[in-house]
């Protein structure tokens, strides 16, 4: 009897324990099912929507907004910039003037300067634009240079040329007589000078011809807009060389980010034809997202107050990142847009005198007259155009058009010509004489390219797999929970009745 009572108590206890485990199992299965459903649908939905979500995130990151990482990079580029200057040494000036020999030019350099750019006077406007000026500074790097700033260089005296241009415009015989008298009195009888590389590039030098111009000004209106002579004099540590730039921030329309709206309050260069203005040209630091996929793109160059249009050339890889290469073609300086009043020049050289109030006889081209009419380089000795060395090109990242590599190369030439009544220039040949060219270069550093590689390649490629794994996990959890529910339904427990 006692054995039966013990067995009954054992069965009742087992039944209670079974009820407790059954209750616990129910909630565990329910949680497992709910998690499976959440994981499955979240994974499927996110795998499908991830490209769009990621693209929207990138668009927000590329938009220029105050106190963001993009703004900090834009305000002061964290990567090193370099400017390499090449000077042309005129080795036979006397032979050219006395016997008519072609000028022989010897390329010196490069004289390499580390360049720093900082945006200053930054103002965000209500029309989704930002206005700023750019403080530029250069510091000579001897270790990267071929030569020193103390190298002597012989080149054309641009002050003589400017003076000749001014006198020709006045076209008065007595003015020539007076000018020749002052030149003889000051013992100035050569239209060329020999100065150091440092003086010719940034430092500048005082030319006695500037004093003569001041004396001549007392007799007739003549103005030479120079305080000191130097190809880049006054630009170092200056905020005015690029002017006041107004560009789009990309807010509300990311396809406008980085595009120039106006320069010095002008929305186009009125001296040029409509299609030669800088509309739809980038200021150079930020680019609309799909620029790399376009057949061409334009960059505004403050130094020549116009845009340069480059053509989509090929794809390449920079530090493992796919980039699209854009190159400037022969149409850049074809002069269909930039003809002076005196008439169009042969292709390849453009007058800089059309740039604002610039009255200097300076003409720009690609280095060594690359892509220019052959007559330019045949008029001097020493020009050796080479695509690899002298091409103007830029490489943009394939998906978001982030600059990966830049080589901006421009040559400056002085137009010289004989002026019979001005003795110092009477034997001068009529040519475009190269004086220097520069290359501003940038290449994305390895640490930045590694970060960009993760953002543009790794995340878009592997994150969808994370969502798919999540969906697969949810699917497995649902299958397992379904199995448990079926097993629970079919499960039967037999409890013996003691009666």
């Amino acid at each position: 009897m006692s054995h039966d009572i013990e067995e009954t108590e054992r069965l009742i206890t087992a039944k209670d324990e079974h009820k407790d485990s059954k209750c616990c199992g129910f909630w565990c299965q329910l949680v497992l099912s709910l998690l499976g459903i959440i994981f499955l649908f979240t994974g499927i939905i996110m795998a499908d929507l991830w490209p769009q979500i990621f693209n929207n995130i990138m668009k927000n990151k590329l938009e220029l907004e105050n106190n963001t990482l993009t703004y900090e990079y834009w305000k002061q580029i964290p990567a090193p910039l370099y400017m390499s200057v090449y000077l042309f040494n005129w080795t036979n000036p006397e032979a050219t003037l006395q016997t008519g020999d072609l000028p022989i030019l010897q390329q010196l350099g490069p004289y390499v300067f580390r360049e720093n750019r900082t945006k200053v006077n930054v103002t965000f406007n209500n029309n989704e634009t930002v206005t700023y000026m750019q403080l530029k500074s250069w510091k000579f790097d001897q270790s990267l240079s071929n030569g020193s700033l103390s190298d002597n260089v012989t080149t054309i005296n641009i002050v003589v040329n400017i003076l000749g241009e001014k006198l020709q415009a006045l076209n008065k015989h007595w003015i020539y007589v007076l000018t020749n008298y002052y030149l003889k009195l000051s013992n100035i009888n050569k239209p060329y000078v020999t100065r150091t590389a440092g003086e010719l590039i940034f430092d500048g030098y005082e030319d006695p011809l500037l004093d003569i111009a001041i004396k001549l000004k007392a007799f007739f209106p003549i103005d030479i807009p120079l305080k000191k002579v130097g190809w880049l004099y006054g630009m170092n540590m200056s905020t005015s060389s690029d002017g006041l730039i107004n560009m789009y921030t990309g807010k509300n329309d990311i396809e406008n980010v980085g595009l120039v709206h106006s320069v010095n309050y002008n929305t186009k260069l009125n001296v040029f034809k409509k299609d030669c203005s800088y509309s739809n040209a980038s200021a150079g630091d930020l680019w609309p997202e799909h620029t790399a996929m376009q057949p061409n793109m334009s960059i505004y160059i403050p130094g020549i107050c116009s845009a340069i249009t480059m053509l989509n050339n090929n794809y390449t890889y920079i530090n493992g990142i796919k980039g699209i290469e854009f190159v400037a073609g022969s149409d850049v300086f074809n002069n269909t847009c930039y003809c002076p009043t005196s008439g169009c020049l042969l292709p390849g050289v453009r007058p800089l005198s059309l740039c604002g109030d610039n009255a200097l006889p300076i003409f720009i081209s690609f280095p060594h007259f690359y892509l220019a009419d052959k007559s330019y380089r045949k008029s001097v000795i020493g020009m050796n155009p080479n695509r690899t060395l002298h091409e103007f090109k830029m490489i943009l990242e394939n998906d978001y058009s982030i600059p990966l590599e830049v080589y901006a190369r421009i040559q400056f030439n002085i137009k010289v010509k004989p002026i019979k009544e001005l003795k110092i220039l009477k034997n001068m040949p009529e040519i475009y004489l190269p004086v220097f060219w520069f290359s501003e270069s940038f290449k994305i550093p390895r640490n930045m390219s590694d970060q960009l590689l993760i953002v543009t390649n790794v995340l878009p490629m592997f994150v969808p797999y994370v969502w798919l794994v999540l969906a697969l996990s949810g699917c497995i959890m649902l299958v397992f929970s379904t199995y448990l529910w079926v097993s629970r339904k079919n499960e039967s427990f037999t409890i013996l009745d003691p009666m």
Side-chain angles (χ1 to χ4, degrees):
M1 185 69 177
S2 62
H3 179 268
D4 292 340
I5 293 173
E6 289 177 357
E7 183 65 19
T8 301
E9 289 177 349
R10 185 185 67 79
L11 290 173
I12 292 172
T13 302
K15 185 176 181 180
D16 291 340
E17 290 177 352
H18 178 70
K19 286 181 179 179
D20 292 340
S21 64
K22 188 176 181 181
C23 182
C24 178
F26 172 80
W27 288 109
C28 290
Q29 288 172 232
L30 181 61
V31 171
L32 185 65
S33 297
L34 290 175
L35 286 177
I37 293 172
I38 292 172
F39 283 14
L40 176 62
F41 284 97
T42 300
I44 293 174
I45 292 171
M46 290 302 295
D48 182 57
L49 296 180
W50 171 248
Q52 182 178 349
I53 294 172
F54 180 78
N55 195 43
N56 289 335
I57 293 173
M58 286 299 297
K59 284 182 178 180
N60 289 333
K61 293 294 183 182
L62 293 174
E63 177 187 317
L64 187 63
E65 189 175 358
N66 201 0
N67 299 322
T68 61
L69 186 60
T70 299
Y71 173 79
E72 294 302 322
Y73 281 178
W74 169 80
K75 187 175 181 181
Q76 185 164 17
I77 300 175
L81 296 172
Y82 296 94
M83 182 173 72
S84 301
V85 179
Y86 299 81
L87 298 173
F88 288 112
N89 182 40
W90 187 4
T91 62
N92 67 333
E94 288 300 324
T96 299
L97 296 172
Q98 294 177 9
T99 62
D101 291 359
L102 292 180
I104 300 175
L105 302 179
Q106 174 194 16
Q107 179 176 284
L108 302 179
Y111 302 95
V112 181
F113 297 82
R114 291 181 180 270
E115 183 175 344
N116 182 67
R117 298 183 181 185
T118 304
K119 309 297 190 302
V120 297
N121 301 332
V122 178
T123 303
F124 284 88
N125 307 306
N126 294 328
N127 62 344
E128 285 79 49
T129 66
V130 59
T131 304
Y132 65 93
M133 301 183 81
Q134 200 157 213
L135 174 64
K136 290 184 175 181
S137 63
W138 290 270
K139 186 176 181 180
F140 182 64
D141 192 326
Q142 180 67 69
S143 64
L144 298 177
S145 301
N146 180 26
S148 72
L149 295 181
S150 60
D151 293 344
N152 286 323
V153 183
T154 300
T155 188
I156 188 69
N157 187 340
I158 190 173
V159 183
V160 173
N161 269 72
I162 298 173
L163 184 61
E165 294 275 346
K166 298 287 186 180
L167 297 182
Q168 274 198 318
L170 295 171
N171 196 25
K172 301 290 184 180
H173 176 72
W174 68 270
I175 295 177
Y176 287 112
V177 173
L178 184 62
T179 303
N180 287 328
Y181 167 76
Y182 275 125
L183 290 173
K184 185 177 180 180
L185 192 65
S186 302
N187 198 29
I188 300 174
N189 53 19
K190 297 178 180 179
Y192 58 90
V193 294
T194 299
R195 293 287 178 173
T196 66
E199 289 175 319
L200 289 172
I201 299 174
F202 280 118
D203 296 342
Y205 62 91
E206 295 180 353
D207 194 299
L209 273 171
L210 295 176
D211 293 330
I212 292 178
I214 294 174
K215 293 177 181 179
L216 292 173
K217 196 172 181 179
F219 298 95
F220 51 86
I222 184 171
D223 183 34
I224 297 181
L226 297 173
K227 294 180 180 179
K228 293 179 74 174
V229 183
W231 304 127
L232 303 177
Y233 173 73
M235 291 182 61
N236 205 353
M237 296 302 297
S238 170
T239 60
S240 60
S241 58
D242 285 359
L244 186 68
I245 298 177
N246 180 253
M247 77 172 198
Y248 292 101
T249 63
K251 186 176 181 180
N252 298 328
D253 188 357
I254 196 64
E255 290 303 316
N256 281 337
V257 64
L259 297 183
V260 174
H261 175 261
S262 66
V263 177
N264 295 328
Y265 304 105
N266 293 319
T267 56
K268 65 178 182 179
L269 301 180
N270 295 320
V271 295
F272 299 142
K273 295 179 182 177
K274 181 179 179 181
D275 60 335
C276 304
S277 68
Y278 48 71
S279 58
N280 297 322
S282 169
D285 298 317
L286 300 174
W287 298 81
E289 178 184 3
H290 298 107
T291 300
M293 293 292 99
Q294 302 303 314
N296 59 65
M297 59 88 159
S298 298
I299 180 172
Y300 175 70
I301 309 295
I304 63 175
C305 64
S306 64
I308 282 183
T309 299
M310 291 178 279
L311 304 178
N312 188 317
N313 184 48
N314 205 346
Y315 71 88
T316 185
Y317 286 88
I318 304 295
N319 296 341
I321 302 174
K322 184 178 180 180
I324 306 299
E325 184 181 74
F326 288 84
V327 299
S330 57
D331 60 327
V332 170
F333 296 136
N334 63 6
N335 292 316
T336 56
C337 300
Y338 309 98
C339 291
T341 55
S342 57
C344 291
L345 305 175
L346 292 173
V349 171
R350 179 195 300 176
L352 201 60
S353 59
L354 291 176
C355 190
D357 298 325
N358 191 334
L360 305 180
I362 298 176
F363 293 75
I364 55 175
S365 66
F366 292 128
H368 287 248
F369 295 122
Y370 171 67
L371 297 181
D373 189 87
K374 293 180 179 180
S375 61
Y376 293 113
R377 61 176 179 267
K378 286 183 177 180
S379 63
V380 296
I381 297 174
M383 296 292 99
N384 300 292
N386 181 292
R387 177 179 179 179
T388 302
L389 299 176
H390 305 138
E391 188 174 53
F392 192 116
K393 71 176 182 178
M394 176 177 289
I395 298 174
L396 299 180
E397 187 273 329
N398 182 70
D399 296 314
Y400 298 100
S401 303
I402 298 169
L404 301 178
E405 192 171 275
V406 179
Y407 289 97
R409 296 158 170 157
I410 297 290
Q411 178 170 293
F412 286 74
N413 314 281
I414 304 299
K415 182 181 180 181
V416 297
K417 60 183 179 182
I419 301 178
K420 293 182 179 180
E421 293 184 273
L422 189 61
K423 293 181 179 180
I424 197 172
L425 291 177
K426 67 177 182 178
N427 294 324
M428 184 67 70
E430 186 168 358
I431 58 172
Y432 294 87
L433 186 69
V435 290
F436 80 100
W437 68 274
F438 71 87
S439 172
E440 286 188 304
S441 61
F442 160 83
K443 184 175 182 179
I444 189 170
R446 191 77 201 194
N447 64 322
M448 291 182 65
S449 65
D450 288 344
Q451 296 174 21
L452 185 59
L453 191 63
I454 292 173
V455 172
T456 59
N457 287 42
V458 177
L459 291 180
M461 184 180 297
F462 289 103
V463 170
Y465 288 105
V466 174
W467 299 123
L468 290 176
V469 169
L470 184 67
L472 182 61
S473 300
C475 185
I476 293 172
M477 293 167 71
L478 277 176
V479 170
F480 185 61
S481 67
T482 301
Y483 168 76
L484 293 177
W485 284 113
V486 172
S487 299
R488 179 184 179 85
K489 183 177 181 180
N490 295 332
E491 186 181 38
S492 61
F493 296 93
T494 302
I495 301 176
L496 296 176
D497 189 340
M499 297 306 291

